[in-house]
């Protein structure tokens, strides 16, 4: 796939972004956790610009997406690219769209002089893990992700 086509999401793509988020959540058996709305996507991605989205295209049709944002590494002393979501529609898998989305994000990180690119993957998702390892990605096995959300987040904020 030498002529990989992609585009950045723009205001007006909020419904499409939400469709991809919901498709990813379904794949990950987490559909009940999606509470995002189109209005929130407009606010946070397009108005506040806290994240960006690129779509993989086949004949002008969006067949995959990647949602990412800038983070910062105190050790590296530079910003980095954090990949929050990567998803290719099932009927388009195995055609190189996922790999080309990753390559495009790596190019974006290099062009922006970011120090690294990171993402998380569910432990059970062997096809994705094998794919990431084939690219040369290293698992950060010595790290555990922690999260505060919902009522717990509010309770900690009130303490």
């Amino acid at each position: 796939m030498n002529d990989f086509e992609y585009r950045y999401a723009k205001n007006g793509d909020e419904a499409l972004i939400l469709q991809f988020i919901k498709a990813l959540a379904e794949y990950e058996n987490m559909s009940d956790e999606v509470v995002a709305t189109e209005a929130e996507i407009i606010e946070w991605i397009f108005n506040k610009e806290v994240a960006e989205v690129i779509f993989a295209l086949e004949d002008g049709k969006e067949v995959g997406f990647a949602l990412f944002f800038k983070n910062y590494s105190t050790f590296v002393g530079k910003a980095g690219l954090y990949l929050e979501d990567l998803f290719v529609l099932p009927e388009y898998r195995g055609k190189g769209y996922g790999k080309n989305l990753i390559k495009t994000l790596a190019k974006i990180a290099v062009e922006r002089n970011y120090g690294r690119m990171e993402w998380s993957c569910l432990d059970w998702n062997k096809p994705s893990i094998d794919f990431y390892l084939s690219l040369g990605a290293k698992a950060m096995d010595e790290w555990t992700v922690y999260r505060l959300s919902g009522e717990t987040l509010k309770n900690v904020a009130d303490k």
Side-chain angles (χ1 to χ4, degrees):
M1 179 178 279
N2 294 334
D3 54 348
F4 174 69
E5 291 184 54
Y6 74 96
R7 72 170 180 87
Y8 282 88
K10 59 189 180 314
N11 205 326
D13 284 330
E14 54 277 357
L16 182 59
I17 293 168
L18 190 54
Q19 286 175 4
F20 273 103
I21 291 168
K22 288 179 177 181
L24 171 63
E26 183 177 322
Y27 172 77
E28 292 179 340
N29 299 312
M30 301 173 79
S31 294
D32 58 326
E33 293 189 32
V34 177
V35 295
T37 65
E38 290 180 25
E40 289 168 327
I41 290 170
I42 291 168
E43 178 182 359
W44 291 97
I45 295 177
F46 300 118
N47 294 345
K48 293 184 178 180
E49 299 179 342
V50 299
E52 298 175 69
V53 173
I54 59 173
F55 294 108
L57 304 174
E58 181 174 284
D59 299 325
K61 175 184 175 2
E62 294 83 0
V63 299
F65 94 126
L67 187 148
F68 61 99
F69 53 86
K70 179 173 64 174
N71 61 10
Y72 182 79
S73 168
T74 55
F75 287 13
V76 176
K78 291 184 175 188
L81 187 150
Y82 187 83
L83 172 59
E84 177 70 18
D85 290 330
L86 175 73
F87 184 76
V88 175
L89 295 171
E91 59 270 29
Y92 294 95
R93 292 185 190 148
K95 295 183 172 186
Y97 291 109
K99 184 174 186 177
N100 279 292
L101 282 167
I102 293 280
K103 286 176 66 172
T104 300
L105 293 172
K107 287 177 187 174
I108 290 169
V110 169
E111 288 168 1
R112 295 179 184 182
N113 196 29
Y114 290 173
R116 61 186 175 199
M117 180 173 150
E118 296 179 310
W119 61 92
S120 298
C121 183
L122 292 166
D123 290 338
W124 61 260
N125 193 345
K126 185 159 174 33
S128 293
I129 292 168
D130 290 345
F131 166 62
Y132 298 141
L133 293 174
S134 77
L135 296 174
K138 304 290 183 225
M140 303 296 292
D141 294 330
E142 66 276 12
W143 294 85
T144 301
V145 176
Y146 292 89
R147 176 180 292 163
L148 292 173
S149 63
E151 287 304 310
T152 306
L153 176 62
K154 291 176 186 174
N155 291 340
V156 171
D158 289 338
K159 291 183 180 180

